[in-house]
Amino acid sequence: MTKKTLEIYSVELSGTKDIQQTDKGNGKEKYRGLKNCFEPRKNHYKEELRKEVDLDDHKLSIKELEKKYDTNIITGLSSTQAAELLARNGPNALTPPKETPEIIKFLKQMVGGFSILLWIGAILCWIAYGIQYSMNTSSSLDNVYLGCVLALVVILTGIFAYYQEAKSTNIMATFNKMIPQQALVIRDSEKMTIPAEELVVGDIVEIRGGDRIPADIRLLSVQGCKVDNSSLTGESEPQPRSSEFTHDSPLETKNIGFYSTTCLEGTATGMVINTGDRTIIGQIASLASGVGNEKTPIAIEIQHFVHIVAGVAVSIGILFFIIAVSLKYQVLDSIIFLIGIIVANVPEGLLATVTVTLSLTAKRMAKKNCLVKNLEAVETLGSTSIICSDKTGTLTQNRMTVAHLWFDNQIFIADTSEDHSNQVFDQSSGTWASLSKIITLCNRAEFSPGQESVPIMKRVVVGDASETALLKFSEVILGDVMEIRKRNHKVAEIPFNSTNKFQLSIHKTDDPNDQRFLLVMKGAPERILEKCSTIMVNGQKQPLDKNTAEAFHTAYMELGGLGERVLGFCHLYLPADEFPETYTFDVDTMNFPTSNLCFVGLLSMIDPPRSTVPDAVTKCRSAGIKVIMVTGDHPITAKAIAKSVGIISANSETVEDIAKRLHIAVEQVNKRDAKAAVVTGMELKDMSPEQLDELLTNYSEIVFARTSPQQKLIIVEGCQRQNAVVAVTGDGVNDSPALKKADIGIAMGIAGSDAAKNAADMILLDDNFASIVTGVEEGRLIFDNLKKTIAYTLTKNIAELCPFLIYIIVGLPLPIGTITILFIDLGTDIIPSIALAYEKAESDIMNRKPRHKKKDRLVNQQLAIYSYLHIGLMQAVGAFVAYFTVYAQEGFKPSILINIRVEWEDSNVNDLEDSYGQQWTWYQRKYLEWMGYTAFFVGIMVQQIADLIIRKTRRNSIFQQGLFRPQYWFVAVPFAILIWVYDEVRKLFIRLYPGSWWDKNMYY
Amino acid sequence: MAALQEKKSCSQRMEEFQRYCWNPDTGQMLGRTLSRWVWISLYYVGFYVVMTGIFALCIYTLMCTLDPYTPDYQDQLKSPGVTLRPDVYGEKGLDISYNVSDNRTWVHLVHTLHDFLAGYSPASQEDSINCTSEKYFFQESFQAPNHTKFSCKFTADMLQNCSGLTDPNFGFAEGKPCFIIKMNRIVNFLPSNGTAPRADCALLDPHEDARPLQVEYYPPNGTFSLHYFPYYGRKAQPHYSNPLVAAKLLNVPRNTEVLVVCKILADHVTFDNPHDPYEGKVEFKLNILQ
């Protein structure tokens, strides 16, 4: 029994060992297997780690410290010393991440991915004009216009994208507001308050509960100080601090307080040992800035698309260059044809369409509390195949909450949802009455005043996390706790300390007939049990026998196994004869019994999962997304949370679970039987990249616990090696390197640290993991819809290109001009293709696997071929029929058009004969040519309507998808006719009665 | 560029490419097995045959709907264009320049006129009939041989001094050159309401002191006789020749470039289209050196 108890506590010890060893080792070993291209970064990690390990101030004695930093713990630094140090080391603040200059950001928008294609197109146009001009100074300016329009498109789209980005950066800026921090420092033997920025190494600072620790400090003297290290290590429990050196690792030792963590309670005095960027937090922040930004999947896809388009353009161009040369065109003419073909292949409108489409989705996502910092990240979430989620604050509520109770030999479940509203356990037992009294009275936490209107769970509490949890728990169940405490006046109190491991208080009871004092005590369960001789069952005192003790241990083990923090509660009514009303209790001499108490019950607390998370995890699962938990917290807690949110599903077991169930050694278990794995930082440290790959592929449910920021990076990289698109969620500073490394980093908007938000691509404004699911859905939808948009846009490319090819080979009058093509690409086609972004999903997109990065391309061979060679060709044929019809009905039958090009375009031929023997001047022909353009244009347009309709779906019938009912097109037709008739009447009267009243009023 | 990031060596790429061209394991060439290639080719052959068929059918139907004698629409040919012979084009439009004393500079101009008038020799006009009436020559039915309509003769000799018969140099040698003005054909076009259209040449924006241009027209008055109109189209009038007017410019100033404009004066011929310099008129630069 005791052995098992030890196991629970050993967790903490082994956990600390992990982190210490990891920190020392992983930088050198983990990156050995990586490719050479990571060399510079590898060195960077090493350097960072070396610094971290260098910190040995926690091992030094106070005297040595004083010597090292040339200070005195009583008088502090002199102000001249401080000024000197400040000048030398710089202010105690994190260097903000290097801001990219606005102009660079702007230029980036101008030349990224797609834009480059348009730029090349524009430049080619100008070159073509240059060639034409050198041959004939009176050549048409079409190419110059085209080039200018292309440039204009890029610039306008760039401005738009830049504006979009700037807008979300502005929203970010509101997060960055930081209240200037003050620090209480001893200088020149005087206590003074100075801005925390002015702290220097060697300063002696005092901190109190509620303060943010202003720098990395070595604690010199401590009174009941606890700190919240969750942003640094991911531990949601408050960490006690002391002035003793307890651990080799600076991260684990108790005598170091870290910059930017919060002191929850107690007071402490410490010496500043590191400031600004040299603090642990500063080092992690710079680690994040050392991680390069990965290209977003959509950027890769667009690049791939550009390759395809460029490939098609260049190969058709060269093919027709050869044909043109062999048709005895002049080489310069052929070069102009070549350029023309390449430019004709550039989908001018697509850049604008994609940008608008993405920003529409970004807007839609922002409404659902996903703020996208980078437009391209909109789609990334849709292709995500692995989510590495931080535990604290993301999956959990980041506050201790009462989860279970044990009394009357029974475990009760408390409601851990965000509002605690639904406490259903049996409250009728007498034991509960006693237990609730202990919970209420043996508690020093208090609500900050003036919060009556705030929901209980949201009120601010002064006190540590577990006391807060107990306070809120009792407030919800019993009502006004402060009132109860007032009625049961406290006469004596021993606060919790680490040697006693209990907390005790003595109260007058609120029962006027009962003159006895009530002694209540809570603390570590085994300590509490030691002090008890009886146990309360169903409100009755019973002797504590072996059976009940065993029941206690079973319950304790079970709750501990859930990763919960367990507290024991006991009480004793002090006999009135021994302790009369006037008795003075002395907490130092302990003139009251602290043994033979009556054990009442156990209560366990956990940082509970957010209530929306399990559902969201299930949805991710069904969407084929693997959810991996990566946390700095203990494996047991991590596993418990993982189980409760479904990251480890109810029926899957880890290797250890199987071993335990079958009573065999862990080594004997067939690893294939286990679906889940819990891996600690220590185990991860010993793994080669290959082993990590194997782990990631073999287990579908993985929890990484006790991981360091560096290891989070390694995990993300491991996932990326599996060709997965990795999303990382996190809120702490320790998450920021991984957030940056991930394909999409998702930071928490409320709980997130600035470092995390800066590193992330997306911010969940409501900190709700479930919002990710919405994001995934939108991302997938936009990918599908972009596919449709591109298919729609590409189709007409062939219809626009064919005329030019036919013109070169067959010598017809040019069927469609450049400006007309632009009018289609940038005019009539833009709105329909944007409209496709609003297309609803064809089937349940959340029930299919995420796309494979390398196989499911945005633009694949099938899409290109179907658009170009099937639909595009039909379109071209249709448009040509329209073109031939116009020419034939005007007098030029198709047969006469063949090879007419040279004469047709010669402005000196003014009597060109048509099929009917009529003679045409150049200008008359030109006019006919323009009519031909219009015919061709209208031909394409009409077919693009059909193209638009077919692109609504890729698999389903249009009739399944639903279409605007055709009859509604005709509802307003009578009114259209009415307008027409009315206006004809108006004109008739104007013509009939010039100068009349009607004419004056109605003629415009 | 994505491929570049993967940092494959050249030999690796070549190997991959080779494997793509011919994969011995799966028997795939360029990503498909032979039978797959056959199937896909058959599909495409079928697809394109059908598309070609549809296209051919459309064109065939279109041709069937066309009237063989008159085009469906003539909205682009409201007014006929006018051309000039000899036609030598410079940087901008017609530009005729020659030296009277150097016959090498004008012999090609004369040659052009002779070539042009070859089509108006009695021999080439023998299928046409002689017309004397000065009215429109309407023909409702096809009375000419081979189901056609008659065309009126226009022979070079009608141009008298500018016919090249009396003066084979068309007046170029003495600095009084002949220019032949031709009006474009338009099916069923009637130039005026009864009076014959007539050519009229003048200097374009003459100097104040310049003398007006003296022009001799052949046929007299520079008229296009109405019996050449209307034109019934190539199929109905296979032997039709455009009527011509020759303008002999008598007092062209020497050694200066003058801009001459010859307009067609008729009710239904416009010459003020700002976009089309050849509609209803023809302008040319003339520079006679001595």
Side-chain angles (χ1 to χ4, degrees), chain A residues 178-199:
Chain A
M178 287 254 276
I179 307 141
Q181 220 187 320
Q182 301 288 317
L184 188 61
V185 64
I186 301 174
R187 279 189 190 167
D188 301 327
S189 322
E190 270 178 57
K191 277 192 192 178
M192 56 170 105
T193 309
I194 61 165
E197 279 202 0
E198 290 172 17
L199 281 183

Side-chain angles (χ1 to χ4, degrees), chain B residues 83-99 105-110 112-113 172 177-180 249 252-253 255-260 262 278 282-289:
Chain B
T83 53
L84 187 83
R85 296 294 186 284
D87 46 351
V88 177
Y89 288 89
E91 189 87 329
K92 272 194 172 172
L94 290 158
D95 191 349
I96 292 151
S97 162
Y98 75 96
N99 195 330
T105 57
W106 47 265
V107 71
H108 66 280
L109 301 172
V110 172
T112 313
L113 288 178
F172 277 86
C178 286
F179 290 94
I180 295 175
L249 311 183
V252 179
N255 297 325
T256 46
E257 191 180 86
V258 291
L259 198 56
V260 183
C262 291
Y278 294 96
V282 60
E283 290 170 13
F284 59 99
K285 280 184 202 152
L286 181 59
N287 192 358
I288 302 176
L289 304 164

Side-chain angles (χ1 to χ4, degrees), chain A residues 173-355:
Chain A
T174 60
F175 288 125
N176 284 336
K177 270 185 289 170
M178 287 254 276
I179 307 141
Q181 220 187 320
Q182 301 288 317
L184 188 61
V185 64
I186 301 174
R187 279 189 190 167
D188 301 327
S189 322
E190 270 178 57
K191 277 192 192 178
M192 56 170 105
T193 309
I194 61 165
E197 279 202 0
E198 290 172 17
L199 281 183
V200 293
V201 169
D203 264 333
I204 308 300
V205 292
E206 283 185 16
I207 50 171
R208 269 185 233 116
D211 285 354
R212 252 175 91 175
I213 298 180
D216 278 1
I217 55 174
R218 162 71 153 76
L219 299 171
L220 305 170
S221 64
V222 173
Q223 289 85 38
C225 175
K226 279 187 181 174
V227 291
D228 174 12
N229 275 353
S230 64
S231 79
L232 193 62
T233 60
E235 295 157 306
S236 32
E237 290 175 32
Q239 304 294 309
R241 296 283 100 165
S242 72
S243 54
E244 287 107 51
F245 161 57
T246 56
H247 204 284
D248 269 340
S249 161
L251 271 179
E252 288 300 318
T253 186
K254 289 199 166 135
N255 58 355
I256 300 266
F258 296 107
Y259 178 44
S260 90
T261 59
T262 322
C263 173
L264 294 171
E265 59 179 271
T267 57
T269 313
M271 183 190 293
V272 175
I273 51 172
N274 271 321
T275 58
D277 289 332
R278 290 169 298 279
T279 58
I280 299 288
I281 284 279
Q283 286 174 27
I284 293 176
S286 55
L287 183 63
S289 62
V291 176
N293 257 336
E294 297 288 307
K295 248 201 178 110
T296 58
I298 195 76
I300 293 171
E301 288 306 319
I302 285 180
Q303 204 172 47
H304 179 240
F305 170 58
V306 169
H307 287 165
I308 290 183
V309 168
V312 169
V314 171
S315 41
I316 296 183
I318 289 177
L319 181 70
F320 277 82
F321 178 76
I322 294 167
I323 291 177
V325 169
S326 53
L327 283 175
K328 307 231 165 25
Y329 281 98
Q330 284 189 354
V331 175
L332 275 181
D333 276 333
S334 308
I335 290 174
I336 290 171
F337 290 157
L338 169 73
I339 292 174
I341 289 170
I342 292 175
V343 173
N345 262 299
V346 175
E348 292 91 352
L350 205 53
L351 176 64
T353 313
V354 170
T355 313

